[in-house]
Amino acid sequence: MNPSAALASILGPRRTLSRLLHDSRTRIALVVLLIVALSAVFAPLLAPYDPTVQLDIVRLPSQPPSFAHPLGTDPYSRDVLSRLLYGGRISLAVGLGAVLLAMSFGIAIGAVAGFIGGAVDAVLMRFVDAALSIPRLLVLILVASLWGSLGLVPLTLLMAGTGWFAVSRLVRAETLALREREFIVAARALGASPMRILVRHVLPNVAAPALVAAALGIANVILLEAGLSYLGIGVRPPTASWGAIIQDGAERVSDLWWLTLFPGLAILVTVFACNALGDALRDAFDPRQLPRGNDPTFAAEA
Amino acid sequence: MRRFFAGRLAQAVIVVFLVTTITFLLVHLAPGDPISVALDKPGVTEAVRQQWREAFGLDRPLGEQYLRWLGNAARGELGWSFSFRRPVRDVIADALPRTLLLVGLSMVFSFALGIVVAVLQTERPGGRRDRWFGRILLLLYSVPDFWLALVVLLLFAYRLPIFPPSGIVAPVVHDYMSFSGRLIDRLLHLVLPVTTLTLLATAAISRHQRSALAEVMPSDWMRTAIAKGVSHRRAVRRHALRNALLPSITLAGLYLPALAAGALFVEKVYSWPGMGLLAANAIVARDYPLITASVLITSIAVALGALLADVAAAAADPRIRVS
Amino acid sequence: MLRTSRRFSFRATRSTSAAIAGVLLVGCTEVKEQPKSAGPADVGGTMVVATPAEPGSILPGLYSTSIERQVTDLLFDRLAEIGDGLNSIGDKGFKPQLATRWEWSPDSLSIVFHLDPRARWHDGQPVRATDVRYSVNLIKDPAFGSPMASSTTNVDSVSVRDSLTAVAHFKRHTPEQFFDLVYQVSIVPEHILGNTPPAQLKTAEVARRGIGSGRFRLGKWEQGKSLELVADTLNYRGRPKLDRIVYSLSLDFNSAVARLFTGDADFFEQLRPENMAKLATDTALRALPYPSLQHTFLALNTIDPAHPGQPNPIFADRAVRRALTMAVDRAGMLRNVFGVMAHPSYGPFPRFLGVADTTLPQLPYDTVKARALLDSAGWTPGPDGVRSKNGQRLEFGITTTVSSASRKQYSVLLQEAFKRVGAVATVDAVDFAGAAAKLQGRSFQTVLVTFAPDPNVSGVRQAWSSAALGKDGLNYPSYVNPTVDALLDSATLAFDPARARAYSRRAFEIIIEDAPGIWLYEAPTVAGIHKRIHTTGLRADEYWAGMADWWIPASERTARDRIGLRPAATP
């Protein structure tokens, strides 16, 4: 399958793509995400300082925004602008990494449940039900605070490990629905492997909702990372993530407002862009292809 | 219907069982135990700690501890809280009503607000009002929970000291107020946390509500109603809302986990001594019985919510019962 | 949210008036001139104390947090009270409390205590010698599981001569035998607790009733809201000046502080540096500095946490420990975290300890020397700037608690300081339970420890001698030096305070040179208090010891002071 055909199979008819591109939300979201992504990628060129270096712990801690430090310094005399730029890398990397992994888990497990069915399906889906009924934040807090501050890789794995449930349900439902369809039955009779059926028939059908879920999922992971960091159990110091910058000033919100305001806005803008993109995607796709706007699984994973 | 209900109930029980079992294992496998926290001071010998572990059965194999916990939990015995030094039942009996008050009020307000906003939006779907509301709601939906709580706290408790910043009542003087004074005091303390939680929940609820309404809007009977000369607002109220109410009930049931999570941050920022703060503190203290009991309560609430949602949906749409 | 406890710390200190003056010099808000004492009209009023923690056990012998200890001390009495001099040798300076007087036997192996005949429990029953016997037996009973059990091992038993005379028998004559009994054991009522087996007192409801003989009795206690202490108006030691002390409970530092600044509370125990500016501009509040025994250092583990029993591949080497100490700009860090408020730490002791010496020579801050020392110890820099020796990289973790803002800040500052001499430190911020488990199991590379020893020489021995190795002791770095052991033993056994000080001084000197820890700071202990409340002298071990004599002049009363002893309306 060539790339444009692949895109077409995901986005459906050309109408969808043009609807998507004419949506003002898409344009705003793409511009914002492009700026955030570029500034993250080129952080080493853009940042005036090393994000972890303590410039002068006696003379420069907790300086309000100034010409030398446009976003001020933190209590460790580190430059907040530099940390914010590098923090974008962390937040985006964790968000993207976790969502990609979660999608893979979700697809694999959903497909297994759907194809094998029976007891395996029942057990997996009861587990998913159970997992969806605990607030995701509670699980994250439980694990993160029980095992101490996490490195980036464990944090990403943890986010992925708690983010695949809804997707697996989606894939399972689609697999079950297709399994009985005549052309699948025929394909199987002709010896097509489950893998081939998954790739050729199931995935294209779930691609649209999965894409929406991915956009919303990235937003969600960024929010969760910030929440954990606010509680002091997010990424390990001196790593700069947006949540970690807020945490560095959380004890003194009223006088070190720049440590709460700027990273907070960065989170808000990025999450807003991801959510807007998700919404635009949802509206652009053929509505019948998608879970309804009030699909509970998406609410539950929030 | 009865069979359907029994099936869902059995599912709910299994879910609660799984959740608490996983939690039990998770907390027991984590480094540290309640005794190492409760007895961490100069001069405490390991023998004393060991004696406490034995007294509470923490030296037994994990499997045995688990079976005993299961047996006790089945009889409604939730154990003894190491950090509060009280029976877990009493600790939760104090904290749970406070969270229910907070979450309950926010739920009522956010549904009311969410539905009103959704109706206003769908009067002319795609119109200017719809789009602007949509953007504002999306923005609100994208705000980190704790950040919104912090900003509201800073603005309305510190910069403009209108509302009390923390707690459920004024310390000390509350008990000596007149009845109406006490009532006002309670309400004042509720304003900021409830407002924050309501804002957070409204964003999600009205987004879902709007798409539910938008879906029924173009239906034949709506068009008929409007053609018959019924005003749009009336048509929405009479017909569309009734049809969109069902997804709301479903959503209310299923939105509980998210609301519980939001409540955690709100309770932390406003120092509201409810279940969220209780659970978070219990984790730090490795208060095993209190952690598992908090998760048990939360998962029961969530399972009940899901059950209600399923039953409501089934009651309205017989086809669901079959699937 | 996380329990803001400073549990490593609260064993206390002794405060002398000189000590208080010393703290005042540090430069907080000046203390206003106060009337010397309260007149008869000045009895009454309510003090609200904001606390960031919820008390659990308030039974003497079972408490563990600072707030629990404070409440317990106000509800219960000891036989005698350690005087303002905080002397722990013999009985010099001790003042009568439940015992009006005491006599030593000629061989010093037993002491006869005569109880105050007027002493009553809060339920009206008289305090008897049998209560003293019961209290000592309870603490010593392994089934009771008291954390204080180990400090009373030298007390053999208590016999009852008559209802008001108890005789304590000791195993050995030691300098601190009186202290061991009188300071560590509060007297509890047998008729209330005696019916419950000691093993079940941990969870018994009766342990939360707080019936003691102290000048305050327990009033209402509502989880998450408040705990009230009410004046015991008929107390044998006199009615407290205050009508009530109300602990306003919250579970978070910031919201507890906020209650002080909004006027909902009158007292907050330990303000952070960032609160001081606001305090200075607040017209209703003043700063109340008080001495304490808390001190903080980075403990360098000399044994390998991965292979217990083996020497640590990095910190077993004295040269590495010394080099890392020299890499740290301790004065700069102090300025960064505390501004001008705090004191540096001068060695393995808090400066208010009786045997402290703040003039001992220190290792200098000198990164050039630090690098040279590491070079000569065989740790050579690799291409990435990180040193290594025989394949072992100079890489280690700094364990700290999430809940302590200043320790967390220090960990990040240290991380950067070590990086500058070619060492990689990862900050391992764990919650309180994680830190406690790591400390007790010695499973850390380095850890930021804040703790306050007992106010006696044994307190130092508890932390730095090889007798304190293993899980029972507080020798977190597992530091072993036979000379230090001998010196500390001699100090503990000296009946002459001057000799105890001389031995300790030499031990401290050696410990500082060996650098098993990097001595960082003594956190400022400054309370915020409402100006209308007048305090008495504050002891370093328990600043609350005189709280029953704090008072509010009649002319300065506010609405909540006028509530008096009237019980709350039923809701």
Side-chain angles (χ1 to χ4, degrees), chain A residues 208-300:
Chain A
L211 215 56
V212 174
L216 301 179
I218 292 178
N220 208 352
V221 169
I222 293 177
L223 285 179
L224 287 168
E225 187 275 323
L228 284 189
S229 294
Y230 171 67
L231 297 177
I233 47 180
V235 295
R236 194 176 271 201
T239 315
S241 80
W242 290 337
I245 305 173
I246 297 182
Q247 154 67 16
D248 286 335
E251 303 283 340
R252 305 167 61 181
V253 199
S254 49
D255 47 333
L256 307 188
W257 52 270
W258 57 93
L259 288 175
T260 309
L261 184 66
F262 298 125
L265 287 178
I267 295 170
L268 181 57
V269 165
T270 312
V271 170
F272 180 78
C274 292
N275 282 334
L277 193 62
D279 279 7
L281 276 169
R282 174 155 51 200
D283 290 351
F285 289 129
D286 177 5
R288 267 159 302 170
Q289 223 182 333
L290 287 172
R292 294 193 312 181
N294 48 22
D295 183 309
T297 48
F298 290 100

Side-chain angles (χ1 to χ4, degrees), chain B residues 93-108:
Chain B
D94 279 347
L96 188 60
R98 295 169 184 160
T99 295
L100 288 181
L101 181 68
L102 194 64
V103 172
L105 281 179
S106 310
M107 199 100 161
V108 170

Side-chain angles (χ1 to χ4, degrees), chain B residues 30-79:
Chain B
D33 71 4
I35 304 304
S36 62
V37 181
L39 299 184
D40 182 79
K41 1 184 267 164
V44 182
T45 61
E46 191 58 22
V48 169
R49 283 190 210 111
Q50 203 50 39
Q51 194 265 348
W52 280 63
R53 287 190 184 108
E54 278 161 28
F56 290 101
L58 295 172
D59 57 330
R60 315 300 302 167
L62 193 55
E64 189 186 322
Q65 289 190 50
Y66 176 66
L67 288 180
R68 208 185 34 193
W69 176 80
L70 210 58
N72 288 339
R75 280 183 282 115
E77 273 301 318
L78 295 175

Side-chain angles (χ1 to χ4, degrees), chain B residues 73-91:
Chain B
R75 280 183 282 115
E77 273 301 318
L78 295 175
W80 190 72
S81 159
F82 291 93
S83 51
F84 285 92
R85 313 255 176 145
R86 301 173 67 191
V88 168
R89 202 182 332 111
D90 296 355
V91 175

Side-chain angles (χ1 to χ4, degrees), chain A residues 21-96:
Chain A
L21 289 178
H22 279 96
D23 193 324
S24 65
R25 287 172 302 185
T26 318
R27 278 174 285 164
I28 295 174
L30 287 180
V31 169
V32 168
L33 288 178
L34 197 68
I35 294 175
V36 173
L38 284 179
S39 58
V41 170
F42 294 108
L45 299 177
L46 295 170
Y49 298 94
D50 181 324
T52 59
V53 86
Q54 295 166 9
L55 300 168
D56 184 334
I57 58 169
V58 176
R59 279 180 217 93
L60 285 178
S62 310
Q63 298 292 306
S66 66
F67 188 71
H69 303 282
L71 304 187
T73 64
D74 70 5
Y76 305 98
S77 74
R78 299 176 297 204
D79 181 59
V80 174
L81 175 61
S82 309
R83 288 181 70 71
L84 199 70
L85 289 168
Y86 276 88
R89 295 183 144 195
I90 307 294
S91 297
L92 290 185
V94 172
L96 274 174

Side-chain angles (χ1 to χ4, degrees), chain B residues 31-33 35-49 51-53 55-56 80 82-87 90-92 94-95 98 157-158 164-177 182 186 189 264 268-271 273 277-278 280-281 283-286, chain C residues 1-3 7-8 10-11 46 48 54-57 62-64 68 142-150 202-203 208 220 222-225 228 244 246 248 250-252 254-255 258-259 262 264 431-434 436-437 439-440 451-452 462 471-472 474 560 563 566-571:
Chain B
D33 71 4
I35 304 304
S36 62
V37 181
L39 299 184
D40 182 79
K41 1 184 267 164
V44 182
T45 61
E46 191 58 22
V48 169
R49 283 190 210 111
Q51 194 265 348
W52 280 63
R53 287 190 184 108
F56 290 101
W80 190 72
F82 291 93
S83 51
F84 285 92
R85 313 255 176 145
R86 301 173 67 191
D90 296 355
V91 175
I92 287 182
D94 279 347
R98 295 169 184 160
Y158 294 137
S166 71
I168 43 177
V169 291
V172 191
V173 284
H174 177 84
D175 291 337
Y176 298 91
M177 293 172 173
R182 286 207 298 272
R186 268 188 186 278
H189 279 82
L264 191 149
K268 176 170 165 53
V269 172
Y270 297 104
S271 195
L277 206 50
L278 192 73
N281 281 298
I283 292 175
V284 181
R286 294 291 183 280
Chain C
M1 89 188 203
L2 307 172
R3 225 181 210 213
R7 282 215 224 137
F8 287 100
F10 6 101
R11 274 349 221 2
T46 297
V48 182
E54 175 103 22
S57 183
L62 286 186
Y63 66 75
S64 70
E68 287 168 5
F144 181 54
S146 170
M148 275 78 111
S150 65
K202 294 184 190 79
T203 57
R208 287 170 59 89
K220 203 170 53 166
E222 284 180 277
Q223 172 187 317
K225 282 166 77 181
E228 260 184 55
R244 297 183 305 158
V246 180
S248 170
S250 64
L251 290 169
D252 175 79
N254 286 321
S255 65
R259 283 183 193 170
T262 55
D264 283 334
D431 65 8
F432 189 80
L439 269 178
Q440 288 159 18
F451 98 112
Q462 266 174 12
K471 286 190 159 192
D472 289 353
L474 300 170
R560 70 174 166 246
I563 292 170
R566 175 161 61 98
T570 39

